[in-house]
Each structure stands twice: as structure tokens, then as C-alpha cells.
Amino acid sequence: MPVSRFLFADQLGPHFDDGGPLLMVEAAGVLGRHPYHRAKAHLILSALRHRVRELGDRVEFLHAEHYRDVLAGRDLEVVDPTSWGARALVRELGARVLPSRGFVTSEVEFAAWAQGRPPSRLVMDQFYRHVRTSTGLLMRGPDPEGGRFNFDHDNRRPPPKGASGLGLPDPYRPVEDDIDEQVRADLDRLEAEGRIRLIGQDGPRRFAATRAEALTALADFVETRLGDFGPFEDASLLGDDAMAHSRLSVPLNLGLLHPWEVIDAVVAAYRAGEAPLQSVEAVVRQIMGWRDWVWHLYWHLGEDYVRRSNHLDAQTPLPREFLELDGRTVRARCLSHVLDEVGRTGYAHHIQRLMILGNWALQRGYRPAELTEWFTNAFVDGTPWVMPANVVGMSQHADGGIVATKPYASGGAYISKMSDYCGSCTFNPKKRLGEDACPFTAGYWAFLDRVEPRIRGNHRMQQSLAGLRRLVDREAVVEQERTRTEW
């Protein structure tokens, strides 16, 4: 029997196919391990089955409960997969393992850059500058295009006042077909049989599940939203959840797009005078910088990174509203809206994740490992390698400063400035005490009170801690948040 290239469900693009015999497996047991969002489970199966249809006779397609059931004893090769568990599996099976693909930089390149650096010095900005310089992308000789590597300071505009949206065309949405119809029926059956548990709402598929759809989504972003992405990337509006975001993390993480394809497309738009540098650099930094960086940190920091990281001693279990993606009983308008949107679509953009969901979880001390698993399972672009550094490090500061130099906590003032959420909220973002005190504003001070012993040595938190010590109603605010039942 000839060697077959075994493709995982996140290795679906042409850059994982070198032309030989292919093998793909749909393992129902994988979906039974966690309570996945229905949209995520649908997307995975739809993408897998669409790729099988495209490959035709070139692929052997097997169904099983577990991968081992049908892969044991076969002569396999595999592009190194994207999780610790999958890598252990393919090595246990004796597969010939090829270097990983689907990223700008290789694991060898990152190891060379990281050699001799302690974890606290693995700074994303330095890694990003290194990759920009070594590739020559957006560089003029030794200098960055426009005189700066990073235009983030220019990309913090609040949403237009009084606007319900940015006025951009709706993002591209694929049209479902017979494969999607069958996937939906199969998920219903598996759930009815008790073999899987799904959360979130069903609905038409919103994200690319094929190579053709992914290329269309990329072209649509470049044409209709790239120009506004930079200035408004941190803004949120109740009536516009797409804003100017690309939503290309989904096809990228399924392997349908290579990151260089996205980078080349946005840079080409800049060279043609069709997109501003501040927007193009922001996309390049998110992909060439942040995305590659968190991928490499997943391996560099070790398999037990999530399990061992709880620097702020966060011990509160996730509430029902998170676990069931139900914002109906949540009074805080921002949190209610984002929870409902995740329940409806399996998606929220990065500021909604960091400064609404993550900020809330940080203030309330939700267990970082439990929160990481929730983000991985509830979001359509959640993967085991994406979420550890993003949640444990960036969002929850649970690693003590490896990924982020300070906790990303804020009060209601930031949310009020960067969104229209507060205008229709029963809480007042300017108040920290009383029946209408904003749980984010009050929660910020209660959070600082709780973690002060663990962060007092952080120089970036000295001003905030000094403010806490001057707070005349500190004890009352802390007690209010300790006993708060409505949020």
C-alpha cells in the first residue's frame, strides 16, 4: 500500500497537498470531547466534506469514532499538526512527519530568534520587527515604510457619533449547499443520540468553508473594508458587528488561505494606492506578527502552559451565561450584546473578546484554564494553539507577564468611548457605587483591590494602584462587587 498524506481538518488548502495519495478522516468522537458551538462544528464538517468532494478520487475518505480506529497500521505521512495531542497521535502511529505549514515563519526560525531570550523577553513587537526586516516586507532598505514599524497609535478612533454602523457593505457570506444541509442533519442526529453536545444557535453558515469561498472573502475584504480597518479596528457598534474586520481568521485557521496570500493582497492594495498604510500595516502586524507569534509561543512555552498559569489566583468558575452563551438576563448592555452575538454566530471581533469578555472575566477572576477552553470551543476560529497565549497571557495576565506586560483591565469609560453600548445601558459608566454603578467601572477597582499584592511590583500598574489607594470609597466598592447579583 502506498504512503498516504493524512490531512487534518485544518489542513485543507493547496499548500498542504503535494500531489500524492491523500487520506482524510471524519471522526465523530472529536466533536464529542467538548461542548462546541454549533456553528463551529458545522464549519469543520462542512469544510472537510467540501474538500473531499473537490479532491474526488485522489482522496480516501473514512468515517470513524476515533482517528486510531482507522489509521493504526497504515503507512502515513503528515504535515506536523497544530496541537500537542495531534502531534503525539501521529508520532504514536509512526507517521513520517513533515515540517508544519501555514505560517509566515518556521519553528526553526522562531527557535533561532528566541534562543537565549528569557520568556519575559519574547516580545511580540521585537519578533514582528525581526520578521519585517528579514523578509523585507514594507521596508525601504533598513527602514520601515512610512518611517514606523507600527501605526497602532493612529488606529484608535472611536466609532462615528450617532452612527449605527460604519456604512460599509455587508461582508461576503457564502451560499449553503447540499453538503451544508447534510451536515446540519448529521449534527442534529449526533446531538439527539447524546454523542455530542452543542451550544449556540444554528443558522446559515457565515464563514468560508472552501478555497473558492476563502479567496472571495479575501477579495471582498480588500475591496470594501481594508481602508477603514486600521482607524476603526478598536471600535464597536451595536448595529455593526462586522465593522471593518476581515473575519479571515476562520479560513486561515482551516488552512484554506495561506497567510502570505492575505499579506500580499493587502500590500498590493497599498502599492496601487487603494488602501492607506496604517490599515495595511495593521493587517500585516496581526498576521505576520501576532498570529505567528502566538503559534510559536504555543510550542515554546510548553504543553502545560495553560495548566500551570494562574498568576492572579483566579478561582471563580465560569457562570451559566458564558457556558450557555446567553446574554438575555445580563443587564450590562455591552456584555449582553457580545454574549448574544457569540451565541448567534460563534464570532466576535478582537476588542469585543479582549475588552468586553476578557476584561469581565479578568475582573471577576474566572479560572484561566476554564476560560481558555471556553474561548476555544465557543468561537468559530478557536483552536488549541490560538487561545492559550491570547487568553491566558494577553487577556487574563495569568502567566505573570510573558505575553502582556500588564493586565488588560479597564473600567466603563473605555467601553463608553470606543462603542455605543453605554447609551442604552441601565448602568452608568461614570459611577462606581450605587444601584446604577457600572459593573465594569466598579469591577475595575475591585479587581485591583484583589490582585494588588500580586501586581504591586509591576511598574506599568503603579499609577493605577496609586489611584486605588486614594479611593475614599474603596471598601464600599469592593463589598458592592463582592455581593453583586445583577450584572
Side-chain angles (χ1 to χ4, degrees), residues 314-333:
Q315 299 294 344
T316 305
L318 261 63
R320 180 199 66 81
E321 290 82 358
F322 271 62
L323 295 173
E324 298 180 11
L325 299 175
D326 182 7
R328 291 173 299 175
T329 62
V330 176
R331 286 179 58 198
R333 190 72 176 96

Side-chain angles (χ1 to χ4, degrees), residues 411-423:
Y414 175 85
I415 298 169
S416 179
K417 175 186 176 182
M418 297 304 296
S419 76
D420 63 350
Y421 295 150
C422 299

Side-chain angles (χ1 to χ4, degrees), residues 339-369:
L339 280 173
D340 280 343
E341 278 302 297
V342 177
R344 189 172 69 88
T345 68
Y347 178 81
H349 66 68
H350 70 275
I351 288 299
Q352 294 170 328
R353 301 187 200 200
L354 179 64
M355 301 310 298
I356 304 296
L357 298 173
N359 187 18
W360 179 268
L362 177 65
Q363 291 183 8
R364 266 60 199 173
Y366 293 164
R367 295 167 182 158

Side-chain angles (χ1 to χ4, degrees), residues 43 171-177 180 204-210 213 217 247:
L43 188 68
Y172 163 75
R173 281 182 58 171
V175 177
E176 288 195 356
D177 58 13
D180 291 295
R205 179 164 57 83
R206 293 173 171 83
F207 300 91
T210 71
E213 291 173 353
R247 310 201 306 175

Side-chain angles (χ1 to χ4, degrees), residues 238-254:
L238 287 167
D240 190 348
D241 283 293
M243 301 292 282
H245 293 270
S246 75
R247 310 201 306 175
L248 294 175
S249 55
V250 174
L252 279 167
N253 291 355
L254 287 170

Side-chain angles (χ1 to χ4, degrees), residues 188-325:
D188 288 343
R189 174 179 52 80
L190 289 170
E191 189 174 31
E193 293 172 354
R195 297 171 64 188
I196 64 173
R197 177 173 171 254
L198 302 174
I199 58 175
Q201 300 172 29
D202 193 8
R205 179 164 57 83
R206 293 173 171 83
F207 300 91
T210 71
R211 169 73 171 168
E213 291 173 353
L215 292 172
T216 301
L218 171 58
D220 175 75
F221 166 66
V222 172
E223 179 181 352
T224 64
R225 298 193 305 290
L226 172 59
D228 290 291
F229 171 69
F232 296 110
E233 66 173 311
D234 287 359
S236 298
L237 286 167
L238 287 167
D240 190 348
D241 283 293
M243 301 292 282
H245 293 270
S246 75
R247 310 201 306 175
L248 294 175
S249 55
V250 174
L252 279 167
N253 291 355
L254 287 170
L256 294 169
L257 287 176
H258 194 284
W260 270 117
E261 293 178 298
V262 182
I263 292 168
D264 288 344
V266 300
V267 171
Y270 167 67
R271 299 292 184 208
E274 297 169 355
L277 179 59
Q278 69 185 87
S279 289
V280 170
E281 187 278 320
V283 175
V284 170
R285 180 162 24 93
Q286 283 196 354
I287 296 176
M288 176 180 282
W290 188 265
R291 184 175 187 270
D292 258 46
W293 187 61
V294 299
W295 158 256
H296 291 306
L297 287 183
Y298 177 71
W299 306 109
H300 188 82
L301 297 176
E303 189 172 2
D304 64 342
Y305 169 72
V306 173
R307 187 171 59 252
R308 73 173 188 265
S309 298
N310 197 354
H311 176 69
L312 300 179
D313 192 29
Q315 299 294 344
T316 305
L318 261 63
R320 180 199 66 81
E321 290 82 358
F322 271 62
L323 295 173
E324 298 180 11
L325 299 175

Side-chain angles (χ1 to χ4, degrees), residues 26 31 41-50 179 183 187:
E26 185 176 304
L31 295 178
H42 184 120
L43 188 68
I44 292 170
L45 294 187
S46 179
L48 186 72
R49 294 181 188 183
H50 275 100
I179 289 180
V183 165
L187 288 175

